[in-house]
Amino acid sequence: MQAINVTRKKTLANVLSVADTIFSSLIGLLGKRNLPLGEGLWLVPCQSIHTMWMRFPIDVIFLDNDKTVVHLIENMKPFRISRHVSRARSAIELPAYTVSSTQTQLEDQIEITEG
């Protein structure tokens, strides 16, 4: 799968994995040494995330049902917990600095495609 910011015409992730079960969401990115540029993890459903026991910082984009950006976290360090985002229905975890490099902002429209 791929994640594309259609508002900015920028690719967020060329390789997007999906965590859509309790088990896959709990595991998330744990155990990975890094998250290479162009990769990401889409957590469905999701209203908050944590980076406990992770080894690297990440960017997080929270999306509503229409895949509109409702909250952004940039460069979230390991061993942190995000706030609860009540409007969010999913979240995309991406390499740190992806949000700034793609100029992603609140209210941008994200498209998730098979790719």
Side-chain angles (χ1 to χ4, degrees), residues 66-103:
D66 298 322
K67 297 184 187 71
T68 301
V69 177
V70 295
H71 186 66
L72 296 165
I73 302 174
E74 296 184 70
N75 200 30
M76 186 173 179
K77 307 275 190 275
F79 293 93
R80 304 292 196 279
I81 300 172
S82 77
R83 72 174 182 90
H84 178 86
V85 183
S86 59
R87 290 181 51 208
R89 295 299 170 258
S90 65
I92 303 173
E93 296 180 341
L94 298 160
Y97 306 109
T98 300
V99 167
S100 63
S101 69
T102 59
Q103 301 173 331

Side-chain angles (χ1 to χ4, degrees), residues 6 12 16 21 23 28 50-51 59 61 65 78 82 85 87 95 98 100 103 106-109 113 115:
V6 294
L12 299 170
L16 186 68
T21 67
F23 182 73
H50 71 83
T51 56
D59 283 0
I61 299 173
N65 275 334
S82 77
V85 183
R87 290 181 51 208
T98 300
S100 63
Q103 301 173 331
L106 293 176
E107 302 302 321
D108 282 1
Q109 190 65 44
T113 62

Side-chain angles (χ1 to χ4, degrees), residues 27-79:
I27 297 300
L29 298 174
L30 293 177
K32 288 191 173 250
R33 292 188 180 276
N34 62 20
L35 184 59
L37 286 176
E39 292 189 18
L41 179 66
W42 185 30
L43 299 150
V44 184
C46 182
Q47 293 183 313
S48 68
I49 63 113
H50 71 83
T51 56
M52 298 303 199
W53 303 284
M54 287 179 57
R55 301 176 182 182
F56 50 90
I58 59 172
D59 283 0
V60 187
I61 299 173
F62 288 91
L63 308 172
D64 67 11
N65 275 334
D66 298 322
K67 297 184 187 71
T68 301
V69 177
V70 295
H71 186 66
L72 296 165
I73 302 174
E74 296 184 70
N75 200 30
M76 186 173 179
K77 307 275 190 275
F79 293 93

